[in-house]
Amino acid sequence: MGVRLASLLSVALPQRMSKEQILRVAVAAPLRQALDYLPPLGAAVTACPGLRVIVPLGARRVVGIVLDVVAASDLAPERLKRAIGFPDTAPVIPADILDLCLFAARYYHATPGEAVLNTLPAGLRSLPRSRIRAILQWRVTPASEALPASALKRSPRLAAAMAFLREQGPASEALCRLAGIGAAQLRSLESRGLAMSEPCVAATEPPPEAETASVKEHIPSRAQAAALVTLESHLGSFHCSLLEGVTGSGKTEVYLRLIEQALAAGRQALVLVPEIGLTPQTRQRFVQRFGARVGVLHSGLGDRERETTWNEAASGRLRVLIGTRSALFTPLPELGVIVVDEEHDGSFKQQEGFRYSARDLAVYRARRLGIPIVLGSATPSTESLANCRAGRFVHLELPQRAGKARAPSTRLLDIRGQTLDGGMCAEMIDAIGHQLGAGNQVLVFLNRRGWAPLLSCSDCGWMADCHHCDARLTLHKAADLLWCHHCDARIPAPTSCPGCHSARLLALGAGTERTEHTLQRQFPAFPVHRIDRGTMQGALAMDKLYGEIGTGEPCILVGTQMLAKGHHFPCVTLAAIIDLDGGLFSPDYRAAERTGQLLVQVGGRAGRAERPGEVLIQTLHPQHPWMERLLSGGYRAFIDPILAERETWGLPPFGHLAILRVESPRERSAIEVLADVKAHLRRRFTELDIVGPVPAQMARRAGRYRMQLLLRDARRAPLHAALEAACQLLDAHRFGAHERWQVDVDPLEGA
Ligand code: ADP
Ligand code: ZN
Ligand code: ZN
């Protein structure tokens, strides 16, 4: 574990000694092992872990990261390739981040290249050719001094290039070009060990004066004060706390004060938030408190901005960094506290490629650094609650809303047998009208984009299915498209049935687009803002909308779960939940937890200031036990029986799960590969519980059949050993061009 330093290894007895040290390099390729290279010729920089290095990989040149510097390689010296150069003079990845990445690679069974390079801003991960030219300068190597004058007689162009470099000293590629020396000659000299390139070093800026902003501060409530006493006592050592505070209880205020303490002690702070939709407001609150010392990282930024913020955090100029999942990997040399807000949120788990949980890795980072971490939520995950019970986390609670706000009242609307307009029953529409009339704002939630989730022919029963997935196409009326939300396939919306040519096509059900339309028709005097992935592209759109909502004028916000996450809309008094029933009957064992969290979070947007809030939930299943528990006893009454059930079945957080998934255009080959893996694991890991091969929840997506094995064990170690073995088998298997496989450790979906 950890980064092994070259000095520690010099005592090892290698089989093949080479005079030169060997660089062990992670590259962005699907290789489980790091690659060995000889160091660049005559490099002025001393190689060390975390340093970027440009290396040949097949016919390409790529950026890699030095993981280690060792005395010997398992490869024969003549098979070792030589690295081309170091673009920087110092490591871009400090030792603690490298350690975090390598731990993540082991834990999630990712390749070191994926884990290490994915964490860098794009600009540092790849060096486009023009960029290499721009930053490199060329000079002759010490070895070329010994070159006899006649050596390059047969290639006069190379001889001329050598002469120029000798005379000129270090020269940029542009200067060489002016002298008639092309890149081909330079590379040719490089390959003969006669010339080398090195980076032109850029100067770093001095940090500007820190600004302090003056904002009115609240007097902490008794619960806030109590939580702060505990949290402040943790500064300087590792403790993980769960701050469970009902929506609007002032968790953010607690984070701000804790961070203030950390900054006063000369430390930096890292705040992870779920999604971009949330950052404008959170950012504002932090900027108001801490001024220009705050930086923000999220997926909506361009590569340049991202790289700048990353550099400023790494240099220590920024004292507070707020960001989504990947911000976890930002170097912060003086990090003193980590906050993970809305810790239950699924977006902390990356669902593609390198499948890591930023929340869980944040706990690892805090532990290694010996600093406190706070996980905050109104609806804590089952994992964090179980960790509190086991005494691993400190449980802190804010049971009441802050200031004058009170908990909203919640009521179910039974829609069985009712006619719906834009997905809403008459009573719901009346309630919305009533609130608008009283000068209030209303939030309407439904977790479905587009106009309607189903287009069907009323004469022959045809339904618009995706040809590539086991899924229906969603009708998007404004774009006039049928759109698959799973593989992104889009086709023009038909005007007549492709089966029987009837014109009687029916759009069934409602998505945000249709509900928005209905609300506009019902309430023409009030603005309706739609908030979903279709309308909210980037932080700017959200910023602008916040401005409008902030005026407090009555209006309607209609949207998907983007609306549910941590927003503070003080003038919203009604949260209208149109459709949550889908979650009640999902086969996923986590569906209950997710649905309950979503319901409480959406409801929590109502009545966050002086005016009392109301939550109305439409349902076809008013007697469903989850609904009853949530309404009568709140989140705890809801989640406690779920935890008990998980314990009975040995499901997470009481057991450990992983998924091995194979996707293939041929269902049979996916099944066969997994059956082989299963047979192998069965022999070696007799205790391990293996289910499958079974179809994934969506058995076909984007033209590929998706089969999976579910692996479960009460203990982590045997599960990881089995995954290691399975990954070796899958690595060795020859997959077809359109086939792929994945491993998902601690999966949030699909189990
Ligand atoms: P949470 O993060 O728990 O949802 P917030 O921190 O957003 O809650 O707080 C909700 C509202 O209550 C905000 O407007 C905040 O300014 C206000 N608030 C927080 N703490 C206090 C307090 N001690 N007294 C009065 N108002 C407070
Ligand atoms: Zn038809
Ligand atoms: Zn599709």
Side-chain angles (χ1 to χ4, degrees):
M1 174 118 75
V3 183
R4 284 173 299 154
L5 293 170
S7 57
L8 293 178
L9 286 169
S10 55
V11 292
L13 279 181
Q15 304 95 339
R16 293 192 182 93
M17 280 299 280
S18 124
K19 279 189 291 310
E20 288 185 284
Q21 290 191 307
I22 305 294
L23 309 183
R24 202 142 272 178
V25 178
V27 293
L31 298 164
R32 228 149 261 285
Q33 312 269 276
L35 298 177
D36 287 354
Y37 287 94
L38 292 167
L41 277 174
V45 177
T46 314
C48 60
L51 191 68
R52 291 198 302 160
V53 58
I54 302 172
V55 293
L57 184 69
R60 293 180 301 147
R61 302 172 130 203
V62 298
V63 172
I65 300 290
V66 177
L67 295 185
D68 215 342
V69 183
V70 297
S73 171
D74 293 338
L75 282 180
E78 62 276 12
R79 293 190 55 203
L80 283 172
K81 289 199 183 155
R82 189 169 289 287
I84 293 159
F86 298 121
D88 315 299
T89 50
V92 289
I93 305 187
D96 65 321
I97 299 291
L98 201 55
D99 167 68
L100 175 69
C101 294
L102 294 178
F103 169 77
R106 282 194 301 277
Y107 185 85
Y108 294 104
H109 297 269
T111 69
E114 273 176 322
V116 173
L117 283 145
N118 269 338
T119 63
L120 283 176
L124 294 176
R125 212 157 46 209
S126 59
L127 281 188
R129 284 188 75 85
S130 59
R131 177 88 179 245
I132 294 178
R133 279 197 200 117
I135 61 164
L136 293 185
Q137 57 185 14
W138 289 84
R139 61 183 178 83
V140 294
T141 58
S144 73
E145 305 292 343
L147 194 72
S150 59
L152 291 173
K153 217 170 47 197
R154 308 253 303 271
S155 37
R157 297 195 64 178
L158 290 187
M162 267 312 279
F164 173 78
L165 287 179
R166 276 209 175 113
E167 197 173 298
Q168 186 65 40
S172 69
E173 234 166 72
L175 186 62
C176 293
R177 233 185 353 264
L178 285 177
I181 300 164
Q185 281 115 52
L186 291 170
R187 306 241 182 282
S188 172
L189 288 177
E190 184 183 42
S191 67
R192 291 161 196 238
L194 297 175
M196 54 174 285
S197 54
E198 62 188 11
C200 312
V201 183
T204 46
E205 277 175 68
E209 290 291 294
E211 288 173 30
T212 29
S214 59
V215 206
K216 86 169 166 63
E217 291 184 11
H218 300 293
I219 301 161
S221 67
R222 195 179 292 175
Q224 283 172 322
L228 274 165
V229 168
T230 307
L231 291 173
E232 286 171 10
S233 76
H234 293 166
L235 286 171
S237 60
F238 170 71
H239 280 92
C240 185
S241 310
L242 173 66
L243 181 61
E244 179 176 10
V246 297
T247 54
S249 58
K251 293 184 289 296
T252 311
E253 191 65 31
V254 171
Y255 308 148
L256 289 167
R257 282 175 182 263
L258 178 64
I259 290 170
E260 216 156 43
Q261 293 296 317
L263 298 193
R267 308 298 293 263
Q268 290 172 292
L270 172 64
V271 182
L272 298 179
V273 294
E275 258 174 31
I276 180 177
L278 204 143
T279 44
Q281 199 180 30
T282 312
R283 183 185 64 215
Q284 279 160 20
R285 284 176 78 177
F286 279 81
V287 170
Q288 275 171 8
R289 202 56 86 79
F290 303 121
R293 292 173 290 173
V294 179
V296 185
L297 277 181
H298 56 74
S299 56
L301 295 179
D303 288 347
R304 273 278 179 72
E305 289 171 286
R306 182 167 267 280
E307 197 176 323
T308 306
T309 305
W310 193 91
N311 278 322
E312 290 184 337
S315 74
R317 196 190 79 78
L318 291 178
R319 306 309 295 175
V320 182
L321 183 70
I322 305 172
T324 45
R325 173 173 78 213
S326 64
L328 170 71
F329 298 100
T330 313
L332 294 156
E334 290 158 326
L335 187 58
V337 63
I338 304 179
V339 171
V340 181
D341 194 22
E342 312 289 351
E343 64 88 27
H344 65 278
D345 198 285
S347 67
F348 286 121
K349 178 84 191 273
Q350 178 145 302
Q351 303 283 10
E352 288 290 314
F354 170 31
R355 292 172 161 74
Y356 66 92
S357 158
R359 176 196 63 201
D360 297 350
L361 287 179
V363 176
Y364 175 86
R365 186 171 180 184
R367 177 149 22 109
R368 294 285 291 183
L369 291 177
I371 60 169
I373 174 167
V374 187
L375 310 180
S377 177
T379 52
S381 61
T382 44
E383 278 74 17
S384 295
L385 288 171
N387 276 322
C388 286
R389 282 193 198 168
R392 285 187 290 267
F393 290 6
V394 179
H395 201 164
L396 302 168
E397 291 177 75
L398 304 178
Q400 260 150 29
R401 284 195 162 178
K404 298 203 182 69
R406 289 295 149 255
S409 63
T410 306
R411 201 151 54 86
L412 292 182
L413 301 183
D414 184 351
I415 53 170
R416 284 175 295 181
Q418 300 221 30
T419 337
L420 304 179
D421 184 2
M424 295 168 289
C425 66
E427 194 179 349
M428 185 67 99
I429 295 175
D430 286 349
I432 294 171
H434 180 76
Q435 293 284 354
L436 292 171
N440 295 325
Q441 295 178 346
V442 175
L443 183 152
V444 179
F445 169 84
L446 77 167
N447 218 1
R448 213 186 272 133
R449 287 179 294 141
W451 181 270
L454 179 58
L455 185 69
S456 164
C457 171
S458 45
D459 285 331
C460 78
W462 168 86
M463 287 187 264
D465 291 323
C466 177
H467 290 312
H468 315 286
C469 306
D470 285 341
R472 306 251 187 260
L473 293 167
T474 301
L475 177 65
H476 284 248
K477 220 168 185 178
D480 205 17
L481 286 176
L482 285 173
W483 191 336
C484 176
H485 289 179
H486 304 281
C487 73
D488 220 27
R490 294 163 218 197
I491 53 171
T495 47
S496 61
C497 171
C500 72
H501 307 293
S502 156
R504 303 206 309 151
L505 291 180
L506 277 182
L508 299 172
T512 46
E513 200 183 350
R514 187 175 212 167
T515 304
E516 174 194 26
H517 180 84
T518 303
L519 289 164
Q520 266 164 354
R521 174 165 47 74
Q522 292 277 358
F523 307 108
F526 298 95
V528 180
H529 304 289
R530 175 153 60 91
I531 301 173
D532 58 29
R533 256 192 293 156
T535 60
M536 289 294 122
Q537 299 286 343
L540 269 183
M542 200 70 193
D543 269 346
K544 185 163 163 281
L545 186 65
Y546 258 110
E548 287 176 40
I549 299 169
T551 63
E553 291 297 311
C555 67
I556 304 174
L557 309 171
V558 48
T560 57
Q561 59 176 344
M562 277 183 93
L563 267 181
K565 299 188 175 177
H567 300 287
H568 183 63
F569 304 121
C571 302
V572 166
T573 51
L574 169 64
I577 298 174
I578 302 303
D579 181 21
L580 263 184
D581 285 352
L584 299 180
F585 299 101
S586 161
D588 195 326
Y589 79 93
R590 280 190 186 263
E593 180 178 354
R594 270 202 301 272
T595 306
Q597 287 166 342
L598 197 54
L599 225 152
V600 174
Q601 292 288 347
V602 177
R605 301 311 116 202
R608 288 170 64 96
E610 274 92 65
R611 295 182 228 180
E614 184 181 15
V615 184
L616 293 178
I617 307 167
Q618 289 190 168
T619 181
L620 284 166
H621 309 279
Q623 266 97 45
H624 196 289
W626 298 350
M627 293 280 190
E628 294 194 328
R629 263 157 36 200
L630 265 176
L631 256 56
S632 59
Y635 184 69
R636 270 305 179 76
F638 166 79
I639 203 79
D640 284 346
I642 291 177
L643 271 167
E645 217 172 85
R646 301 259 191 96
E647 193 162 15
T648 309
W649 295 107
L651 286 168
F654 302 97
H656 305 289
L657 268 188
I659 296 178
L660 288 169
R661 190 177 295 134
V662 172
E663 303 187 356
S664 169
R666 290 177 55 241
E667 194 174 14
R668 277 287 297 281
S669 29
I671 295 175
E672 281 164 12
V673 181
L674 287 173
D676 279 354
V677 172
K678 181 180 181 174
H680 180 89
L681 295 182
R682 270 263 176 278
R683 285 194 295 276
R684 281 187 54 196
F685 304 92
T686 45
E687 305 273 283
L688 187 71
D689 197 4
I690 311 177
V691 178
V694 289
Q697 258 164 46
M698 181 165 291
R700 197 172 60 105
R701 185 152 92 193
R704 293 191 192 89
Y705 290 91
R706 307 165 75 233
M707 303 299 298
Q708 60 190 30
L709 289 182
L710 266 166
L711 274 47
R712 188 180 64 122
D713 203 297
R715 294 158 306 149
R716 252 186 225 293
L719 178 65
H720 279 270
L723 286 173
E724 183 79 47
C727 287
Q728 271 174 20
L729 288 174
L730 290 164
D731 271 333
H733 183 82
R734 295 177 61 127
F735 282 102
H738 298 285
E739 296 180 320
R740 53 173 75 156
W741 68 275
Q742 302 137 19
V743 47
D744 192 348
V745 181
D746 304 334
L748 283 189
E749 280 170 19

